[in-house]
Amino acid sequence: MSLTGIERAQAWIMRVFMGVLFALFRILSPWRSAEFRGLPPVSNPLLLMSAMQLSQKIRRREVSSVEVVEAFINRIQTVNPLINALVQDRFEAALLEAAQVDKLIQESSGGEEVLQDRLPLLGVPITIKESFALQGMPNATGVVFRRGVLSTRDAPPVALLKRAGAIPLGVTNTSEFCMWYESHNHLYGICNNPYDLARTSGGSSGGEGSVLGSGASVIGIGSDIGGSIRMPSFFCGVFGHKTSPGVVSNDCQYPDLSGCQPDYVSSGPMCRYAEDLLPMLKIMSGPNADRLSLSVDVDLRKLRFFSIPHDGCSPIVSSVDKQLIQAQRKVVERLEADLGVKVQEVFLPGLKYGFQIWNTYMGLPDKDGKPPTPFSVLFGEPGRPLWPLWEVARWMMGRSPHTMAAIVLSLIEMTNSSKPSPFILKQKEQLQKEFEELLGTDGVLLYPSHPLLAPKHHHPLFTPFNFAYTGIINILGLPSTQCPLGLSKEGLPLGVQVVTGRFLDRQSLAVALYLEKTFGGWRDPGAA
Ligand SMILES: *[C@@H]1O[C@H](CO)[C@@H](O)[C@H](O)[C@H]1NC(C)=O
Ligand SMILES: CC(=O)N[C@H]1CO[C@H](CO)[C@@H](O)[C@@H]1O
Ligand SMILES: CC(=O)N[C@H]1CO[C@H](CO)[C@@H](O)[C@@H]1O
């Protein structure tokens, strides 16, 4: 059995179509690259500490929460006009909350340990992806017709982080409806990459990636159905963890997912320092944290390591950048030298159908047979469904409230077939079996987070299937941590995703700590 001629032709037509479309838009479009390309360096040492270090200092009264919050507010005020990452702040409320924290610590008699146990993030600022409900903040996800809609409560993981003492500074930019891997929309504008303002910060959690990468936030939260945590974390040089499915609640995010999609989305932490990943995940998981046995120690020497350098050359996905192949090879060499392990290079032919598999599973009905809401319906709300070709015309006249990405998605949707391809379903089953055998309970896989370094703005429109590298991991239901690996010769972040068996998140988090120690973790984009 193989991919039918029609399916193959469909993929190629799509690719050519995107190429032509992009060439056309480059000629017609008003998009220009930003003149000023760099951020000022981080100067306040408070901005260069992990959330765990900051909370300890605050508890020990070595620094006040107000001082910490002020430091981050100042940095946001400096960089945000350049990156457009934070789309709504709550600075005044945050400063009041910080003052309350300082008062609580002055008056507390329980000692540091009690506070650490009950309030592990006490007094530490955090940023929140706008699609998560944060009480009183916009509930719009970059959609123009939702301007002015506010959240009336907190999404569960946001509430848990607040209850642990974190102080939200505001909410961050996303793609329109979180449906694309560039954070651009006509409500908040475009979000820029801290390492090169003419490039994308990724998406859909691109505002988080950008504000973290800029050194203007230390911890944040994202959601990921095809790479929305890992891609922006990779493009912006920070850590991002896609949790095992079903552990962190996905309630109270806009838009609602439908069909089978809720099975593949995961919320998780994004941060600049690897040591914050595990405590954040523990907090965000609430009562489900037990399922991850996060307190069990991981001995890296006892794990089995695998490396897959590329997807086996899918014709619709870019080839992996040489510098990324090299960086991954360096990780392999260091692991072997430092830990005395043998890293096995493997090849799984099914990976080259990553996009088709992801696309097929996104379209499957839920267990009651209800199909997912088509993009065109979602994008057209509250009116009638979007008519993609008409919308292209409106876009060209500068009249569309939607981004080109949203329009392209509804165009792609028009090519969907009514029945999933049996070949693709079989490829997925085969891959699932291969991954389970490979990883077992002690296997760790290195796989590129993305084939290209952070692309220029709008370029993802003509490599629309490149998120297959992250998307396939969602469909396989596995946890994965994107880890930064220093900078490329152009000064853009390198990285790799570390995938482990389901509910064995603690293993990829342990590898993240090792990679940070070995490769230096996040770099100040202003220091270059
Ligand atoms: C956000 O908006 C959606 C759709 O309008 C609504 O269902 C949801 O309850 C809102 N969330 C919050 C927390 O207000
Ligand atoms: C560049 C840009 O469009 N920035 C906007 C980001 O969102 C805020 C809040 O809506 C606007 O005030 C900015 O103009
Ligand atoms: C299988 C599938 O998802 N089919 C959908 C294709 O798109 C149309 C409209 O865009 C939907 O109505 C179908 O349900």
Side-chain angles (χ1 to χ4, degrees):
M1 201 164 42
S2 85
L3 208 56
T4 65
I6 294 184
E7 281 153 356
R8 218 185 289 268
Q10 239 181 22
W12 277 100
I13 290 169
M14 216 51 227
R15 200 181 192 195
V16 171
F17 177 72
M18 290 304 172
V20 172
L21 210 63
F22 186 76
L24 203 68
F25 291 136
R26 282 205 61 180
I27 297 160
L28 296 176
S29 85
W31 297 326
R32 265 166 261 112
S33 54
E35 294 256 311
F36 177 75
R37 292 196 150 212
L39 297 187
V42 174
S43 53
N44 189 331
L46 290 174
L47 302 176
L48 299 173
M49 286 175 204
S50 69
M52 288 299 115
Q53 287 171 326
L54 285 170
S55 67
Q56 188 185 57
K57 280 192 169 304
I58 292 170
R59 283 193 304 270
R60 292 183 175 169
R61 303 184 205 175
E62 291 165 16
V63 64
S64 69
S65 172
V66 168
E67 278 173 86
V68 173
V69 168
E70 274 173 350
F72 280 93
I73 292 176
N74 284 337
R75 178 73 180 167
I76 291 174
Q77 285 170 337
T78 307
V79 299
N80 206 49
L82 300 169
I83 57 175
N84 198 36
L86 201 85
V87 294
Q88 175 87 53
D89 75 65
R90 56 187 300 285
F91 293 159
E92 269 178 46
L95 283 167
L96 286 176
E97 285 157 18
Q100 275 163 9
V101 164
D102 290 331
K103 192 151 164 274
L104 175 97
I105 291 172
Q106 289 296 330
E107 288 165 1
S108 110
S109 52
E112 199 203 324
E113 267 103 67
V114 179
L115 284 178
Q116 182 176 2
D117 245 30
R118 272 187 36 234
L119 300 160
L121 290 175
L122 187 60
V124 178
I126 188 171
T127 42
I128 309 287
K129 180 182 186 181
E130 200 256 85
S131 58
F132 284 83
L134 171 59
Q135 188 162 23
M137 292 279 111
N139 170 4
T141 312
V143 178
V144 170
F145 82 83
R146 295 182 64 80
R147 191 191 302 275
V149 181
L150 298 181
S151 292
T152 51
R153 58 191 183 286
D154 292 329
V158 173
L160 288 164
L161 288 162
K162 278 167 81 171
R163 205 184 301 158
I167 301 179
L169 296 178
V171 291
T172 56
N173 221 333
T174 64
S175 45
E176 191 179 1
F177 288 103
C178 283
M179 294 292 176
W180 186 243
Y181 74 92
E182 254 203 290
S183 292
H184 174 215
N185 56 70
H186 294 327
L187 183 57
Y188 303 127
I190 198 159
C191 179
N192 299 325
N193 189 300
Y195 293 85
D196 178 350
L197 302 177
R199 292 176 188 263
T200 182
S201 63
S204 62
S205 318
E208 277 308 309
S210 181
V211 78
L212 288 163
S214 303
S217 176
V218 63
I219 49 174
I221 164 169
S223 51
D224 186 318
I225 197 169
S228 280
I229 287 176
R230 290 161 289 161
M231 284 185 288
S233 299
F234 166 63
F235 294 154
C236 298
V238 299
F239 293 89
H241 181 68
K242 177 212 163 285
T243 311
S244 290
V247 175
V248 176
S249 164
N250 295 306
D251 291 348
C252 289
Q253 294 178 41
Y254 183 82
D256 269 338
L257 296 170
S258 48
C260 259
Q261 295 161 358
D263 295 347
Y264 306 116
V265 71
S266 285
S267 300
M270 293 171 71
C271 53
R272 250 186 300 136
Y273 299 101
E275 70 168 351
D276 292 334
L277 285 165
L278 189 141
M280 280 190 76
L281 181 57
K282 185 169 168 209
I283 295 164
M284 291 165 68
S285 306
N288 287 337
D290 289 347
R291 293 166 66 186
L292 301 179
S293 311
L294 292 170
S295 52
V296 173
D297 272 339
V298 176
D299 182 353
L300 294 182
R301 288 163 206 273
K302 298 218 169 100
L303 298 179
R304 292 172 306 122
F305 287 89
F306 304 94
S307 175
I308 302 186
H310 59 77
D311 70 355
C313 304
S314 156
I316 56 169
V317 173
S318 305
S319 330
V320 178
D321 188 290
K322 283 210 184 66
Q323 295 188 74
L324 287 170
I325 299 254
Q326 246 170 37
Q328 193 166 323
R329 200 173 301 138
K330 231 181 264 165
V331 171
V332 169
E333 284 166 12
R334 288 302 303 262
L335 281 168
E336 294 190 335
D338 295 350
L339 304 178
V341 296
K342 179 87 196 83
V343 183
Q344 194 190 334
E345 191 162 304
V346 280
F347 175 69
L348 304 177
L351 280 173
K352 70 166 171 290
Y353 303 109
F355 167 74
Q356 288 93 331
I357 292 173
W358 183 89
N359 198 38
T360 301
Y361 278 77
M362 284 297 111
L364 292 184
D366 66 13
K367 52 186 182 313
D368 302 324
K370 202 163 157 269
T373 314
F375 290 141
S376 54
V377 170
L378 190 64
F379 295 158
E381 278 172 356
R384 53 180 180 71
L386 192 92
W387 191 27
L389 290 173
W390 169 235
E391 212 57 36
V392 171
R394 288 220 304 172
W395 187 91
M396 288 187 168
M397 295 182 295
R399 290 281 173 81
S400 176
H402 300 290
T403 50
M404 195 61 219
I407 300 168
V408 166
L409 282 180
S410 39
L411 280 169
I412 294 179
E413 186 177 62
M414 285 170 74
T415 71
N416 74 354
S417 50
S418 54
K419 250 189 23 230
S421 145
F423 172 76
I424 292 299
L425 294 176
K426 181 146 173 281
Q427 290 298 321
K428 190 266 183 183
E429 260 160 46
Q430 177 80 21
L431 264 183
Q432 190 89 52
K433 228 173 72 212
E434 287 166 346
F435 265 83
E436 269 156 31
E437 277 164 18
L438 199 65
L439 297 177
T441 55
D442 57 355
V444 171
L445 168 70
L446 307 170
Y447 192 52
S449 295
H450 197 75
L452 301 180
L453 304 177
K456 294 247 168 73
H457 282 313
H458 309 298
H459 283 209
L461 282 172
F462 74 141
T463 53
F465 309 118
N466 278 359
F467 70 88
Y469 273 85
T470 40
I472 187 65
I473 305 299
N474 293 76
I475 303 302
L476 295 171
L478 302 172
S480 170
T481 313
Q482 133 64 31
C483 303
L485 294 175
L487 302 180
S488 73
K489 58 180 191 299
E490 308 89 331
L492 298 173
L494 300 166
V496 71
Q497 59 176 325
V498 181
V499 183
T500 56
R502 192 183 280 215
F503 304 128
L504 294 166
D505 303 48
R506 61 178 185 274
Q507 294 176 352
S508 64
L509 301 185
V511 175
L513 277 166
Y514 164 81
L515 290 176
E516 182 180 55
K517 210 166 74 214
T518 311
F519 290 89
W522 169 80
R523 310 292 167 87
D524 178 358

